[in-house]
């Protein structure tokens, strides 16, 4: 009897570890709750059967399946728990024989009948995804911080365009920090059951993460609005206009986050607020994000339409032809980075092709800040020229001369 109990416990241990790996990326605590509910129902059944006949094999819960009362010589068959069907297209069944010595071992064993071993690559997949997005956010955090420092350091780079870029960089930085804080709060300790964890710290980390993600999407929207304004007109962006952009990027997410916090406190104050499946209040956050992605996509389609019209050789004037060509190049390079890839999943169910969704939203999304920093800052000709000029000035102050190679590179630097 001791051997099969060890086998059952190892099966449940693997199940718990697998769900923990899955939940660290996309919480599925309702599955664990389902298993616990089945256990409570089985124990209640065992208690009810306790006062009845003691002949044969008594009912019991083996940590995975509930086995009923059976007579000696009877064979009982039970299907694998429904939880396994969530990861496999079909599940098998397990049987036990009631003997004079008690219940026999499960046949076939759970790990064979329920295809548990086949799920090990899935666990490895989720672990790999977490490793990739951790590396992605770490690299992005360092590069984005350097980009913000460069844009703030040089006075000639301080303009409305770079002001908006800096705010976008900051949202990517906060988003990376929020992911690390959330993981450290919810998943740093293997003994922590995040499905029942309900503390102020964990709720605050989830709220902060949601706000950073929402602010990031809204500043992507601001970037699209700003690019459209540059193409439609050449008006000067006053301080009031920048205040309006700031209110949209930082203030509007605060409004929806506060509404969501209030709804969770009064109507759905459960666990750590990190489980939002089938919750109508989740749309307080998801709805504005979906709208911002849709509007952003429409704005970029409008940018392409305007550029196609303005790049017509018969309509381009000599004075502004280079300006539009430069703007076209930078805009087309930035289109894939402004959330257009989210349009694919925008109106699909949350659990449609989970593996692909995780890869795009977590792995690719973690490097989005790095790509934006490279294109907006480090590969920007204006930034490169200013850094180069500062380097030349430092050489003059330090050595009193400038090397011929530096002069040549200064002349070759495009504006």
């Amino acid at each position: 009897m001791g051997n099969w109990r060890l086998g059952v416990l190892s099966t449940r241990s693997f199940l718990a570890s697998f769900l923990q790996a899955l939940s660290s990326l996309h919480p599925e605590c309702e599955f664990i709750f389902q298993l616990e509910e089945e256990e409570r129902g089985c124990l209640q059944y065992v208690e009810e059967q306790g006062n009845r006949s003691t002949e044969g094999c008594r009912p019991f819960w083996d940590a995975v399946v509930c086995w009923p009362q059976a007579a000696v010589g009877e064979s009982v068959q039970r299907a694998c728990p429904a939880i396994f069907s969530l990861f496999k297209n079909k599940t098998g069944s397990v049987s036990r024989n009631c003997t004079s010595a008690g219940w026999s071992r499960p046949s076939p064993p759970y790990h064979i009948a329920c295809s548990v071993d086949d799920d090990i690559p899935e666990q490895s997949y989720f672990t790999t995804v977490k490793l990739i997005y951790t590396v992605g956010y770490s690299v992005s955090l360092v590069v984005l911080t350097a980009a913000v420092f460069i844009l703030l350091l040089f006075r000639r780079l301080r303009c409305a365009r770079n002001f908006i870029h800096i705010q976008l960089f900051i949202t990517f930085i906060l988003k990376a920090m929020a992911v690390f804080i959330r993981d450290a709060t919810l998943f740093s300790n293997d003994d922590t059951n995040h499905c029942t964890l309900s503390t102020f710290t964990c709720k605050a980390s989830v709220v902060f993460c949601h706000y950073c993600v929402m602010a990031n999407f809204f500043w992507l929207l601001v970037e699209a609005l700003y690019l459209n304004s540059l193409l439609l007109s050449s008006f000067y962006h006053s301080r009031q206009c920048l205040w309006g952009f700031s209110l949209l990027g930082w203030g509007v997410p605060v409004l929806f986050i506060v509404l969501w916090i209030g709804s969770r406190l009064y109507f759905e104050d459960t666990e750590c607020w990190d489980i939002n499946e089938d919750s109508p209040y989740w749309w307080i956050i998801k709805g504005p994000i979906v709208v911002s992605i849709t509007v952003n996509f429409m704005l970029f389609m409008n940018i392409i339409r305007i550029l196609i019209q303005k790049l017509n050789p018969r309509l381009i004037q000599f004075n502004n032809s280079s300006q539009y060509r430069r703007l076209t190049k930078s805009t087309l390079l930035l289109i894939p980075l402004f959330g257009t890839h989210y349009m694919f999943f925008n109106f699909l169910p949350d659990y449609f092709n989970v593996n692909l969704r995780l890869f795009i939203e977590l792995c690719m999304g973690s490097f989005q800040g790095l790509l934006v920093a490279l294109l907006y800052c480090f590969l920007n000709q204006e930034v490169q020229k200013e850094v180069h000029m500062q380097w030349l000035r430092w050489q003059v102050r330090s050595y009193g001369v400038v090397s011929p190679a530096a002069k040549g590179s200064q002349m070759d630097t495009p504006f």
Side-chain angles (χ1 to χ4, degrees), residues 51-252:
N51 297 327
R52 300 187 179 182
S53 175
T54 59
E55 296 180 1
C57 300
R58 298 179 61 82
F60 77 105
W61 169 258
D62 68 356
V64 179
V65 173
C66 186
W67 296 92
Q69 178 81 26
V72 176
E74 183 180 357
S75 178
V76 179
Q77 186 173 358
R78 282 288 181 265
C80 291
I83 186 173
F84 289 105
S85 65
L86 299 168
F87 314 111
K88 288 293 177 182
N89 295 329
K90 59 180 181 179
T91 58
S93 60
V94 180
S95 63
R96 290 180 186 269
N97 296 322
C98 179
T99 66
S100 57
W103 286 105
S104 66
R105 296 179 182 180
S107 177
Y110 282 112
H111 70 279
I112 296 177
C114 303
S115 302
V116 175
D117 286 346
D118 295 338
D119 286 331
I120 294 178
E122 291 289 326
Q123 183 181 10
S124 177
Y125 171 79
F126 290 114
T127 303
T128 303
V129 168
K130 185 175 182 180
L131 176 62
I132 293 175
Y133 83 69
T134 300
V135 173
Y137 280 124
S138 300
V139 175
S140 297
L141 185 62
V142 174
V143 176
L144 286 164
T145 303
V148 171
F149 177 76
I150 291 174
L151 294 181
L152 291 175
L153 180 64
F154 302 113
R155 182 172 299 178
R156 292 185 180 181
L157 299 179
R158 299 173 187 174
C159 58
R161 181 184 70 258
N162 288 337
F163 169 82
I164 296 175
H165 294 347
I166 291 174
Q167 307 307 309
L168 181 62
F169 292 170
I170 292 176
T171 63
F172 278 111
I173 292 174
L174 292 177
K175 181 179 175 181
M177 294 175 59
V179 170
F180 293 144
I181 293 174
R182 182 202 62 190
D183 288 353
T185 304
L186 296 179
F187 312 114
S188 60
N189 190 347
D190 293 338
D191 297 329
T192 300
N193 184 1
H194 79 279
C195 295
T196 57
L197 182 65
S198 182
T199 64
F200 173 81
T201 302
C202 77
K203 292 177 181 178
S205 67
V206 171
V207 170
F208 179 63
C209 186
H210 287 332
Y211 173 75
C212 294
V213 171
M214 201 172 188
N216 180 250
F217 278 107
F218 273 83
W219 275 105
L220 290 173
L221 177 60
V222 170
E223 287 281 1
L225 291 171
Y226 180 78
L227 282 175
N228 270 267
S229 68
L230 288 180
L231 288 172
L232 293 173
S233 63
S234 57
F235 69 92
Y236 172 74
H237 290 83
S238 62
R239 186 176 297 271
Q240 289 77 11
C241 182
L242 295 180
W243 274 109
F245 284 147
S246 299
L247 182 63
L248 175 61
W250 296 115
V252 173

Side-chain angles (χ1 to χ4, degrees), residues 156-379:
R156 292 185 180 181
L157 299 179
R158 299 173 187 174
C159 58
R161 181 184 70 258
N162 288 337
F163 169 82
I164 296 175
H165 294 347
I166 291 174
Q167 307 307 309
L168 181 62
F169 292 170
I170 292 176
T171 63
F172 278 111
I173 292 174
L174 292 177
K175 181 179 175 181
M177 294 175 59
V179 170
F180 293 144
I181 293 174
R182 182 202 62 190
D183 288 353
T185 304
L186 296 179
F187 312 114
S188 60
N189 190 347
D190 293 338
D191 297 329
T192 300
N193 184 1
H194 79 279
C195 295
T196 57
L197 182 65
S198 182
T199 64
F200 173 81
T201 302
C202 77
K203 292 177 181 178
S205 67
V206 171
V207 170
F208 179 63
C209 186
H210 287 332
Y211 173 75
C212 294
V213 171
M214 201 172 188
N216 180 250
F217 278 107
F218 273 83
W219 275 105
L220 290 173
L221 177 60
V222 170
E223 287 281 1
L225 291 171
Y226 180 78
L227 282 175
N228 270 267
S229 68
L230 288 180
L231 288 172
L232 293 173
S233 63
S234 57
F235 69 92
Y236 172 74
H237 290 83
S238 62
R239 186 176 297 271
Q240 289 77 11
C241 182
L242 295 180
W243 274 109
F245 284 147
S246 299
L247 182 63
L248 175 61
W250 296 115
V252 173
V254 171
L255 173 64
F256 289 105
I257 289 294
V258 170
L259 291 176
W260 181 74
I261 292 175
S263 65
R264 291 302 299 250
L265 282 173
Y266 287 99
F267 304 108
E268 207 174 47
D269 190 11
T270 58
E271 289 83 45
C272 197
W273 297 359
D274 59 329
I275 302 175
N276 300 292
E277 186 186 7
D278 299 327
S279 172
Y281 309 108
W282 174 235
W283 281 95
I284 298 176
I285 293 179
K286 183 177 179 180
I289 291 178
V290 169
V291 172
S292 69
I293 293 173
T294 305
V295 174
N296 220 359
F297 182 78
M298 295 171 62
L299 289 174
F300 276 110
M301 293 299 99
N302 187 52
I303 288 176
I304 294 178
R305 181 187 63 83
I306 296 174
L307 290 176
I308 291 176
Q309 293 178 350
K310 290 184 177 293
L311 289 176
N312 189 334
R314 293 176 297 178
L315 300 178
I316 295 180
Q317 300 178 2
F318 178 77
N319 294 332
N320 61 7
S321 60
S322 60
Q323 172 188 355
Y324 282 124
R325 287 193 175 92
R326 287 171 50 200
L327 192 58
T328 301
K329 180 181 178 181
S330 60
T331 301
L332 293 178
L333 285 174
L334 291 173
I335 284 177
L337 305 178
F338 282 101
T340 54
H341 58 281
Y342 292 110
M343 282 296 297
F344 180 73
F345 293 110
N346 213 8
F347 302 102
L348 294 176
D350 288 339
Y351 291 98
F352 175 81
N353 204 331
V354 176
N355 287 356
L356 180 60
R357 181 190 289 271
L358 288 177
F359 178 77
I360 292 179
E361 294 187 356
L362 291 179
C363 296
M364 293 180 60
S366 65
F367 289 96
Q368 187 178 4
L370 170 64
L371 295 177
V372 170
L374 291 175
L375 290 175
Y376 270 130
C377 181
F378 296 102
L379 298 181

